[in-house]
Each structure stands twice: as C-alpha cells, then as structure tokens.
Amino acid sequence: MFTRSSRRWAGVTVPALLLAVAGCGVWGNDSAQGNPAAAPLPSLSVPASASPSSSLGSAPPPVGEAELSPAVQGKKVLVVGDSWAEYFGNGMAKVASGGNVIVNAGLGGCGIMMPDTVQGGKKSEAACLKWPKEWPQYMKQYKPDAVLLRTANWDMTPQSFDHSGVELSMEHVPFRQRFFKNMGRAIDILTQNGTPVYLTNARIEAGGWKTLSLKMNDAVQELADKYKDKGVHLLDLRAQLCNDNGCPPVVDGHKLYDAIDHPADWSRDRLATWMLNTMFAGGPAGAHS
C-alpha cells in the first residue's frame, strides 16, 4: 500500500513564481532520483475538527468542498512532506485563483524520519534526508502565509535507524520517540515568524495497516495539541474520507483513489479546496483545533 513510487519533484523558479502571482501556478519536473531544478516553497494548512477516536456517524463522508471561497486571494502556501502532500499541493494549484501561490515541495517516498532503510532494506534516498537544511531555506526565501506538513502516510512504513538493520514502525516506542522528536524539530522550523502550520491525520486503513494508522492519528493529534500555542493545527482528513462504517472507495459515483491508492483528481481537488477555505476563509464551523 505504501510502496515507493517514482519520485516527483515540484518547485518554483523565480520566473514561475512571478507568473503564479498573476494567477496560480506550480512549476516542477519529475525525476526518479536527482534534485529539484529549483528550491520548493512551503504552502498549505488546514485545521481539524475531531479527535482520532471520535464518532463520525454513518452518513457518506463529505470528501472536502466543491467551491473555493472568494476570500482565498493573494495567499502563499508551502507544502512539505510525502506523496500525499504532493498530491494536495497539485490539487491546490489546480483549484486556487486570485493571485494565490502554491509551492509544492512534497516528495513521494519521503517522510520525516530520516531512516537508513525502508520497506525491507531499501536504502533511503538522499533527498529524504535533506529537510532540516532545505526547509529553513524555503521559509526564508518564500515567506509563506501557511505551511502544510504531511507525513502521515509514508511514515506508517517500517524503517530502520542508526545502522541497526531492524525496521521499526509506529508500534515501537523508539520509532514513536523519533517521530515526535523530528516533528518537533520540523515544527520549530516551519512556525518561525509566526507562520501557522497544518498537520493532517490519515484515513483508517484496512487489514494490517489499521493499527498503524490509528497510532499515527493518535500521534498527530498529540503533536497538534502540544504545539497549539505555536500556531499548529490539525486537519482531520480522516473525517473527510471515512465514517463509522469505514472509508469507502467511491462516493457519489466518484472513485476516491487512483491506481496507486492516492487521491484521485476529484477527491484531491475537493480536499484541496476544503484545505484552502479552512486556512484562509475560516472554514466550516468547528473546523479548527
């Protein structure tokens, strides 16, 4: 489910950034390994409405919102994290207008953990280890109005550290300790200058991934609570994609996921719209935590 896909880079050059201010744009290139052609930007945030264990009811999940608020104008968002972050950055670039700038620095196959290996001994790619140096540069260069930090999917993947050769997961105390430490470090970087940071939890996964997704959501909630005074919020993505009966693959005749189990265009764009509305137009009642 959380397999490494081809790496997709997205960044913003100065000319592209100037063009994006006139409308909304993201420049990028795809590469299997390599570096971004230009430094990516931070951009994106959304708060949450419910704790990981709260009831969601039996109605079909809302899957975001259809219409972007007119209040979302002239905003700059930085997106960092895993491939789901990248997808949301792409969605925001598609739905945004009114001089908004979306800087998409999401990286497929990269989380916050800085491991030696992942998924049965695969060596961690160099790009996944660079965020402590790159993210401060993005904050200084782009001065985003908000940041989306999402690693909730990739960091459910078992990973090894300190050359132990033993891959751990959210079920293990040392893994959780490292997750909290690295997320705290990232939050310190991204909240500089009072910039709000938005975390997201994950849908409740099926089968053997269910326990990991529940533990991940508990961890993300705890982080949002711990750093609330620093301007950290939680986006309750779980409540957008699931109800008490599970997380359906189809809603209103629309497939929610693509062939590699990431948000399909319809759900990606609706979720991106909801995120931007919540960030800059107040969002629906009770959306913030």
Side-chain angles (χ1 to χ4, degrees), residues 113 169-182 215 219:
M113 297 295 286
S169 73
M170 267 290 172
E171 295 184 282
H172 302 98
V173 170
F175 186 102
R176 293 197 298 273
Q177 290 174 334
R178 187 182 182 98
F179 182 80
F180 277 98
K181 179 180 179 180
N182 285 7
K215 288 185 179 296

Side-chain angles (χ1 to χ4, degrees), residues 3 8 36 45 51 115 133 156 173 181 190 240 256 262-263 265:
T3 56
R8 298 168 57 87
S45 64
S51 69
K133 292 184 178 180
M156 282 187 244
V173 170
K181 179 180 179 180
L190 299 172
Q240 294 294 315
L256 300 192
H262 288 68
D265 289 354

